[in-house]
Amino acid sequence: MSVTMEIKGLEKFRKGLQDLPAKVAKLAMMKAVKYAAFILEEEVKQRAPVDSGALRDSIVSKGKTISPWEVSYKVQSMSNSENKQAAWYAPRVEYGHAYVIKRGKKVVAHGRVPQRPFFRPAFDAQKENMQEVMVKEVSEAASKYWRKLSARS
């Protein structure tokens, strides 16, 4: 279970980022997307239903660089160093599920466990904040680079 966020309508922003050297752009994007992912991770953890704490503890963010101008971070339920087993049931909690209890071949109970959304509401609550943080971080990195470059001249 993971969420993907793509910021649209920022072509001018992206072109400005491409004016930076690849190393500067990559570091700026990594930092910006990492901060946004951490914001989402913390919000998801706060909203996750807690019984044993395994679901909350399995929420982690993990990133990778696709190109100097594209960075991917996933916020998802997976195993980590503290929690060796992923909360495989995270989607069942988020979306609800059916259940059947059998004794031998006889069905003794069945029904539906209601959804308890925590992931999507967290994303909806933080998406503007995440976008603002990303734009701010990349803008600051670009400004710092251009100031440094102009100081050399």
Side-chain angles (χ1 to χ4, degrees):
M1 178 177 195
S2 63
V3 171
T4 301
M5 179 176 71
E6 184 176 319
I7 302 175
K8 296 185 180 196
L10 295 175
E11 212 43 49
K12 183 178 176 184
F13 176 76
R14 186 177 180 150
K15 285 183 181 173
L17 189 59
Q18 288 176 338
D19 289 341
L20 295 173
K23 184 177 180 182
V24 174
K26 177 182 174 182
L27 291 174
M29 285 301 296
M30 283 290 288
K31 185 177 177 184
V33 176
K34 180 179 181 179
Y35 284 174
F38 287 153
I39 289 170
L40 179 59
E41 179 184 338
E42 289 305 311
E43 186 71 22
V44 170
K45 284 181 176 183
Q46 286 179 8
R47 292 174 181 259
V50 177
D51 183 19
S52 67
L55 175 60
R56 179 198 56 223
D57 295 343
S58 74
I59 305 297
V60 296
S61 55
K62 191 173 183 177
K64 70 177 181 178
T65 304
I66 298 166
S67 77
W69 302 277
E70 292 180 73
V71 176
S72 170
Y73 256 84
K74 287 185 178 181
V75 176
Q76 60 190 4
S77 172
M78 64 181 290
S79 59
N80 58 35
S81 58
E82 296 133 24
N83 181 16
K84 298 294 180 195
Q85 185 176 353
W88 55 268
Y89 52 87
R92 291 187 169 115
V93 174
E94 179 82 8
Y95 303 114
H97 61 91
Y99 70 90
V100 176
I101 299 174
K102 292 182 177 182
R103 293 246 161 59
K105 292 187 177 193
K106 183 178 179 183
V107 174
V108 294
H110 64 87
R112 180 133 186 95
V113 175
Q115 63 183 10
R116 294 175 67 187
F118 63 98
F119 215 103
R120 184 62 196 209
F123 176 77
D124 290 340
Q126 292 295 334
K127 66 183 173 187
E128 281 97 20
N129 189 24
M130 292 186 303
Q131 288 177 345
E132 288 172 14
V133 165
M134 289 175 63
V135 170
K136 178 181 169 247
E137 288 300 322
V138 172
S139 297
E140 284 178 6
S143 295
K144 183 179 175 182
Y145 171 77
W146 294 119
R147 279 194 308 271
K148 193 177 190 180
L149 193 62
S150 65
R152 289 180 185 168
S153 305

